[in-house]
Amino acid sequence: MNDIKNIRFRTQRLRTSSALRSITSETRLSVDNLILPVFLKSGTNLKIEIKAMPNFYQLSIEKGIEEISSAVDLGIKSFILFGIPSSKDEIGSSAFSDDGVIQLALQRIKKQFPDILIITDLCMCEYTSHGHCGVINNNVLDNDATLELLNKQALTHAQHGSDVIAPSGMIDGAVDSLRNHLDENGFKNLPILSYSAKYASSFYGPFREAAESSPEFGDRKTYQMNPANKREAIREILQDIDEGADIVMVKPALSYLDVINEIRSKVSIPIAAYSVSGEYAMIKAASSLGWIDEDSARNELLLSIKRAGADMIITYFAKDFARYENENK
Ligand code: PBG
């Protein structure tokens, strides 16, 4: 009995009420730090269901604007746009056309919602006939030839009103090349959010259906990172910062919290994390079967990413969380 009396420091004391738990909470989620992905498809009046991503659709521009509008009403301020073109070719030329789906959408969205943040994903995989993230020569990705295409794509995004350019292809030297190209063309203040440490992950499965971007042959293991590596992620991140990245990203989030955490201790610039389609699909699927409580599992997932050190999270749960936050104020 004596022993029990001697427990002076009882950690449970600070957990006895909701108010105590709240005031001692070390990490807080807010819709302010969430970014909602939107898939925009060339065409009109389209709303095409994405099976493995409940509540997500390929939307034509006017439907996409409705989606953005409903998210803005919930308090969401940041979006990342992915484009699905009407035609694809070897070099993904619709990615840098002035009347490409992203370019047209940007103009209209910025006009209607001048104050929201529109990030544009910069990659070739949705636009190339082979589905790889750049130029293919002899069945391999030609890194250096891809740089030029990314420059063109970025400049059209900038000219049409993108607020942040987000290269996602893991192309070496992309940040440096984009920074120079944007600066030379009058976009010195346009930030680059680099998908610096992007792993070759199985958790992208549902997205590839959403963005119609599965590779026709092979995989992305020659340019995306090996899931086994953490030191290499640090090197990727430091390299991108050196090249001029303003924000760096780790992707996916859930299986790579250790990577986010380690990077947080090493760099001072903002860190983004991408909670990818597979993370969303797992929780949605389990909750639809009644196997998991969606609200609390989702909140725990997002909280863990923030606790690991991410400042902002790209998440398909942005609207669900915003709704929850509004209802639980
Ligand atoms: C394109 C890109 C991918 C994702 C975002 N941008 C897929 C890929 O590399 O195959 C994945 C996003 C997700 O799964 O939610 N390069």
Side-chain angles (χ1 to χ4, degrees):
M1 282 312 271
N2 249 356
D3 279 346
I4 292 171
K5 257 195 283 169
N6 285 340
I7 303 175
R8 312 216 35 168
F9 182 62
R10 292 183 182 273
T11 51
Q12 291 177 15
R13 278 183 211 123
L14 295 181
R15 296 177 197 142
T16 52
S17 73
S18 164
L20 269 171
R21 289 190 295 272
S22 170
I23 204 164
T24 55
S25 181
E26 297 174 33
T27 312
R28 270 173 224 285
L29 284 174
S30 159
V31 73
D32 290 351
N33 308 116
L34 304 184
I35 301 164
L36 177 70
V38 179
F39 298 101
L40 295 170
K41 189 174 171 78
S42 199
T44 48
N45 209 21
L46 302 174
K47 185 172 181 181
I48 304 166
E49 197 177 359
I50 302 162
K51 285 197 193 64
M53 299 177 70
N55 305 330
F56 277 78
Y57 302 86
Q58 295 179 338
L59 301 167
S60 49
I61 296 173
E62 79 291 353
K63 298 269 181 203
I65 290 175
E66 285 170 22
E67 168 68 3
I68 290 173
S69 177
S70 76
V72 167
D73 289 345
L74 289 169
I76 296 170
K77 299 174 200 148
S78 303
F79 298 83
I80 182 162
L81 306 183
F82 294 94
I84 305 132
S86 52
S87 65
K88 307 193 183 207
D89 62 24
E90 283 283 299
I91 60 158
S93 22
S94 49
F96 41 86
S97 137
D98 277 325
D99 52 12
V101 60
I102 292 299
Q103 289 79 0
L104 294 176
L106 274 169
Q107 268 172 323
R108 293 182 49 184
I109 296 166
K110 289 307 295 184
K111 204 163 148 206
Q112 204 163 327
F113 306 99
D115 297 328
I116 62 174
L117 189 79
I118 299 289
I119 304 167
T120 51
D121 184 81
L122 200 76
C123 194
M124 289 287 143
C125 63
E126 298 106 288
Y127 303 91
T128 51
S129 42
H130 42 72
H132 279 284
C133 300
V135 180
I136 294 289
N137 274 326
N138 301 322
N139 279 351
V140 293
L141 183 90
D142 186 337
N143 186 86
D144 300 13
T146 302
L147 292 173
E148 204 185 316
L149 301 183
L150 292 178
N151 282 347
K152 285 190 185 176
Q153 189 185 16
L155 190 57
T156 61
H157 286 189
Q159 287 163 340
H160 287 85
S162 174
D163 296 309
V164 178
I165 300 287
S168 69
M170 289 298 278
I171 305 301
D172 284 328
V175 174
D176 183 50
S177 153
L178 288 166
R179 188 70 273 158
N180 285 329
H181 194 62
L182 290 170
D183 286 1
E184 280 162 15
N185 287 282
F187 291 99
K188 286 195 167 63
N189 268 334
L190 188 63
I192 297 177
L193 186 174
S194 180
Y195 287 58
S196 305
K198 178 175 178 181
Y199 288 87
S201 169
S202 312
F203 293 100
Y204 305 151
F207 174 93
R208 291 185 184 167
E209 175 200 336
E212 299 178 8
S213 65
S214 293
E216 289 282 297
F217 61 89
D219 52 40
R220 302 207 209 288
K221 290 184 180 152
T222 59
Y223 43 101
Q224 297 182 347
M225 280 186 58
N226 176 354
N229 294 358
K230 180 155 78 170
R231 295 193 307 264
E232 190 186 352
I234 294 161
R235 184 167 181 226
E236 287 275 8
I237 297 269
L238 295 179
Q239 175 69 33
D240 277 1
I241 294 176
D242 218 38
E243 291 184 23
D246 301 283
I247 305 172
V248 286
M249 183 149 73
V250 175
K251 178 184 170 191
L254 183 57
S255 290
Y256 300 88
L257 296 177
D258 58 327
V259 177
I260 297 171
N261 196 232
E262 177 104 9
I263 288 165
R264 175 73 294 159
S265 69
K266 292 208 156 52
V267 310
S268 56
I269 71 168
I271 297 174
Y274 198 142
S275 181
V276 301
S277 54
E279 297 172 36
Y280 178 76
M282 287 193 297
I283 291 183
K284 283 284 179 189
S287 106
S288 78
L289 290 165
W291 292 352
I292 203 169
D293 178 69
E294 182 171 327
D295 279 350
S296 66
R298 174 201 63 232
N299 291 357
E300 193 174 329
L301 165 80
L302 295 174
L303 200 58
S304 72
I305 299 168
K306 197 106 184 268
R307 191 190 62 233
D311 299 291
M312 61 194 91
I313 308 171
I314 302 180
T315 171
Y316 302 96
F317 283 118
K319 281 176 80 178
D320 290 345
F321 178 78
R323 251 181 241 113
Y324 172 89
E325 193 182 47
N326 292 333
E327 283 162 15
N328 290 277
K329 264 193 184 131

